[in-house]
Amino acid sequence: MTLAQPEPGGPMPARTASLRGALATTACMETLQVGYLHAVAAASGCSLAQPFPDNGIDWHVSHGAPGHAVDDEVTIKVQLKCTYQVAPGPPGAGFSFTLDNDHLVKLARTPVAVHKILVVMLVPRTQEDWLRAGHDRLELRHCCYWINLAGHRVTGRRRTNVRIPTTRIFDDRALCEIMTRVGAGGRP
């Protein structure tokens, strides 16, 4: 029979937070939201293209399906935003998000040849809480919500608050439904 010997210097200390890199939190938030978009696009069977230079739109998402009426492949433009200023799981029917007016004008333009949506990711304030991994899953925390701002008016002097509906969770099903509507000649 073997007896376990105590660790030299006493028991193992409680697990502490991992040392994170020195990259700015906002840069890390941008990377996380891109990972979320990639996961949603992969599960939806969509392709992604990043315009260079981006000129105010982060990604082009394309969806090919024989059922599309306007073309065999349709595309939408996606602007990503990420914030920890709104707590994950906001109560109620929506939450307020502030956009610079110049950016809102770009997203609100109508009519358009290619529709645009805004995707806002809400993350916990602490980076340690952004990701959970297990043997059966990888969770990106917390959630992205989407909105089509076509026709939205500018109301502030430099910035405008827009309401993002909490019912519009941006996931693979939502993206497929968006693409189905656009493929039929409609709006997202």
Side-chain angles (χ1 to χ4, degrees):
M1 171 157 93
T2 305
L3 296 175
Q5 298 296 314
E7 293 282 331
M12 291 285 290
R15 187 172 178 201
T16 58
S18 300
L19 180 62
R20 307 234 175 236
L23 195 60
T25 301
T26 53
C28 294
M29 290 165 68
E30 288 179 26
T31 303
L32 183 69
Q33 68 189 2
V34 168
Y36 189 113
L37 176 66
H38 278 247
V40 168
S44 303
C46 291
S47 63
L48 295 170
Q50 193 172 20
F52 182 79
D54 73 16
N55 195 27
I57 295 296
D58 294 322
W59 292 91
H60 293 187
V61 181
S62 297
H63 181 268
H68 292 319
V70 295
D71 199 343
D72 63 332
E73 182 176 77
V74 295
T75 299
I76 62 168
K77 297 178 181 180
V78 175
Q79 177 61 48
L80 297 173
K81 295 290 183 185
C82 189
T83 185
Y84 54 73
Q85 294 177 351
V86 177
F95 61 92
S96 184
F97 187 78
T98 305
L99 284 172
D100 290 333
N101 287 343
D102 291 342
H103 214 124
L104 176 57
V105 167
K106 183 174 213 55
L107 293 171
R109 183 182 175 118
T110 187
V112 294
V114 179
H115 294 283
K116 302 173 193 109
I117 63 170
L118 172 66
V119 174
V120 179
M121 184 173 198
L122 304 184
V123 295
R125 188 170 288 275
T126 306
Q127 274 179 265
E128 292 174 9
D129 296 330
W130 291 359
L131 189 76
R132 296 277 187 258
H135 293 284
D136 62 339
R137 70 181 157 275
L138 172 67
E139 296 175 348
L140 295 178
R141 311 224 16 243
H142 242 177
C143 189
C144 285
Y145 302 90
W146 73 275
I147 188 168
N148 175 5
L149 292 170
H152 196 287
R153 294 180 342 155
V154 168
T155 57
R157 285 181 47 189
R158 283 181 252 147
R159 304 184 88 201
T160 297
N161 287 328
V162 297
R163 294 289 299 167
I164 311 294
T166 54
T167 57
R168 290 201 182 151
I169 293 174
F170 187 72
D171 62 7
D172 58 322
R173 288 178 189 94
L175 182 55
C176 287
E177 290 169 3
I178 289 167
M179 292 306 207
T180 297
R181 287 189 294 272
V182 171
R187 292 174 44 166

